Amino acid sequence: MVDAEALTAWVREFARLVHEQRDELTRLDSAIGDADHGANLDRGMTAAVAALDAQSAAGPAAVLKTTATTLIKTVGGASGPLYGTFFLRAAGALDGVPDPTDPAALARAVRAGLDGVVARGKAERGDKTMLDALGPACDALDEALAAGKPLDEALGAAAQAAADGRDATEPLVARKGRASYLGERSAGHVDPGAASATLLVQAAATALAGRG
Amino acid sequence: MPVGLVVVSHSRALADAAVELARGMLPGREQVIEVAAGDVDGGLGTDATAIADAVTAADSGDGVVVLMDLGSAVLSAETALELLDDDVRERVVLSPAPLVEGLVGAAVTAAAGADRDRVAAEALRGLAPKQAHLGG
């Protein structure tokens, strides 16, 4: 059952991974961006966990909404509105659903979040962005659930697809964001947004294990 | 009531200076220009919740035109629209105009009582005098 407690555990695990990988995310961003991705996202996720700690018992949609508004408020850079929109749209997809704790509802929420990132960033897959990890992860999750696989296995497949997508950004030329100013010189580096999005999916696989 | 204006920037100093420059064109005139600039700690950054608050403050019912600098300011301004009530959102235009030139054009036009679409159109034409002068 993917209830509010499970979603809180997901946000917490994402925050932990971002904090742990903060320097690596910044190193990736210093190669093709403005070297603030690790610090910005760490600040935002630390604030999100604090906001969830301060919030009294709330439903699944409220957990994601609080995470969204905190990220929007505290990140500062482009990852604020992008991750903020991801969680905001995901929260909207859970709102009013008869059983928001059903794994299928989680999959629909994540898909709605992905669509939000696409609408906000106007990027396509292959542009060397977070979409290159998040898109394949959503596809893998949907396919596995549609094939009747348990949630653990489906999230494991999603995490693997995200990591593969992240690694595949290395030779790409960036077409969105600050990295796009570098043109051909952006090739040869893994995209920091794809790297952090992979952490988001890995966090789901870890925190939601056994909740299906 | 005249159309309200909102300035979104990564930098509070940049936004305030742009507003000061625009207000220099409006001696003795009232014009609502709200600012949403900088991150929560006063550093460089943008915050969609602050932008949504600024739009709400600038809205008198006749529309709001939002001018912004670049990058995450654009994404945050779009995200702010999602945070607004439906009726307010419908009255807001996000202008693709350059911040300084667009703001001056918008401020002069709004203070003269033009409607929202006219203000947004003048913001967009803000670059024209410079282009004509430099032959660009």
Side-chain angles (χ1 to χ4, degrees), chain A residues 17-166:
Chain A
L17 288 175
V18 166
H19 186 71
E20 189 183 273
Q21 299 286 319
R22 173 189 162 118
D23 291 347
E24 173 64 7
L25 292 174
T26 291
R27 186 188 69 74
L28 293 173
D29 196 29
S30 66
I32 60 172
D34 53 356
D36 63 2
H37 189 50
N40 281 350
L41 204 52
D42 186 27
R43 181 174 60 241
M45 289 308 300
T46 301
V49 167
L52 290 175
D53 284 343
Q55 180 173 286
S56 52
V63 167
L64 299 184
K65 179 89 189 286
T66 297
T67 304
T69 48
T70 309
L71 286 174
I72 284 167
K73 210 188 280 276
T74 55
V75 168
S79 52
L82 289 167
Y83 278 104
T85 300
F86 173 83
F87 283 107
L88 200 60
R89 297 279 182 97
L94 289 183
D95 211 11
V97 170
D99 182 9
T101 65
D102 179 34
L106 173 73
R108 278 196 298 274
V110 170
R111 175 67 62 179
L114 172 73
D115 291 346
V117 171
V118 171
R120 183 67 60 243
K122 310 233 165 44
E124 294 172 8
R125 294 190 199 186
D127 283 352
K128 199 179 180 101
T129 72
M130 62 191 286
L131 275 185
D132 292 322
L134 210 50
C138 273
D139 293 349
L141 179 64
D142 284 344
E143 279 166 29
L145 289 177
K149 302 269 174 61
L151 183 63
D152 284 13
E153 205 177 310
L155 286 171
Q160 186 59 52
D164 291 346
R166 171 199 64 200

Side-chain angles (χ1 to χ4, degrees), chain A residues 43 65 69 72-82 84-85 88-89 116 119-122 178 181, chain B residues 10 39-41 44-50 53 70-80 82-83:
Chain A
R43 181 174 60 241
K65 179 89 189 286
T69 48
I72 284 167
K73 210 188 280 276
T74 55
V75 168
S79 52
L82 289 167
T85 300
L88 200 60
R89 297 279 182 97
R120 183 67 60 243
K122 310 233 165 44
R178 293 224 197 195
Y181 290 110
Chain B
H10 282 66
D39 68 12
V40 279
D41 301 322
L44 295 182
T46 57
D47 168 359
T49 61
D53 291 345
L70 68 173
S72 72
V74 180
L75 299 184
S76 288
E78 290 183 306
T79 306
E82 293 201 29
L83 303 175

